[in-house]
Amino acid sequence: MTIGKVTHVFTNKRCVAIRIKEGQLNQGDLLKFTKGDASTGMPGVHDSLHKAGSIEIDNESVVSVEVGQECAVHIGSGGLPPNNCDVMVVMIPERC
């Protein structure tokens, strides 16, 4: 399920801003970022997986984000997803 969209990329901080449109985003979730159709081979296509490390809203650390909120998610390694990527939660860590 697509939960939101990347609205900004902060390369100097290795973060992306995500607006949540559906569902919930939690710290530790595995996120899939997609843009375009990878099977076409067209430029501008993006498909990557990243763990939601630290999450912030207005420079305050949070552990979850709800519909209608926009947050910054730190991307630890790999290439940063570009603007307007769809964001999906593909794995939710087990909660105790």
Side-chain angles (χ1 to χ4, degrees), residues 15-86:
C15 291
V16 293
I18 300 172
R19 174 157 310 273
I20 305 301
K21 296 181 177 183
E22 191 173 333
Q24 183 177 355
L25 169 63
N26 297 293
Q27 189 172 15
D29 287 351
L30 183 61
L31 305 176
K32 181 171 182 154
F33 295 88
T34 60
K35 184 175 182 179
D37 183 354
S39 67
T40 65
M42 298 295 292
V45 172
H46 182 87
D47 191 347
S48 65
L49 293 172
H50 298 281
K51 183 178 176 184
S54 62
I55 304 174
E56 293 184 3
I57 297 176
D58 296 328
N59 296 316
E60 298 282 331
S61 291
V62 298
V63 294
S64 65
V65 186
E66 304 288 332
V67 173
Q69 294 181 304
E70 188 166 8
C71 65
V73 175
H74 182 261
I75 304 295
S77 62
L80 291 172
N83 278 332
N84 298 316
C85 273
D86 290 325

